[in-house]
Amino acid sequence: MKLFTYKKKLSRGQTFSLRKKLKVKMAFTWVYLDNDGNPVENLPKEAVIEEFQTRAEAEDWLTVNWRTLLRGGIDQVSLWDGTNLAMENMSLHPISK
């Protein structure tokens, strides 16, 4: 739920204000990045450019496909929830011991 405020100026300096909670569908999308954090221009065919309805769906998809993306030249990803950054520059490279 997001809280939206609608304001309108009325005559004589009065203001009409309405605050309402609305269900807003935001879509989660992955942005594919190189090692320096720049968007990858030539995406492999496995890189999905679709929107996921939930963060869990987006993360599940990445859990299955991260190795293929890494082999295709993607080093890291960011997850966006509409226009809000949900996860920033997560490396796809395994942690070396």
Side-chain angles (χ1 to χ4, degrees):
M1 293 279 243
K2 292 228 179 206
L3 182 63
F4 287 93
T5 302
Y6 171 77
K7 288 185 179 183
K8 183 177 181 181
K9 288 239 182 215
L10 303 173
S11 61
R12 298 186 207 158
Q14 296 175 333
T15 303
F16 170 78
S17 182
L18 172 68
R19 295 181 67 139
K20 186 163 184 156
K21 284 187 178 181
L22 300 173
K23 278 191 176 181
V24 177
K25 259 191 178 177
M26 298 302 272
F28 290 87
T29 51
W30 289 109
V31 174
Y32 306 103
L33 308 167
D34 64 16
N35 234 1
D36 296 323
N38 300 312
V40 174
E41 291 183 24
N42 298 316
L43 294 174
K45 65 179 178 181
E46 296 82 11
V48 174
I49 309 294
E50 70 182 58
E51 298 176 338
F52 298 91
Q53 294 304 308
T54 67
R55 182 174 181 155
E57 287 176 3
E59 290 177 355
D60 287 346
W61 180 87
L62 186 66
T63 299
V64 171
N65 293 287
W66 70 270
R67 287 180 188 89
T68 305
L69 295 172
L70 184 59
R71 283 191 301 267
I74 295 170
D75 295 300
Q76 48 187 327
V77 293
S78 289
L79 182 62
W80 287 82
D81 178 6
T83 59
N84 298 316
L85 185 60
M87 183 186 307
E88 185 175 14
N89 298 27
M90 181 178 72
S91 176
L92 297 180
H93 293 274
I95 298 172
S96 55
K97 295 181 180 187

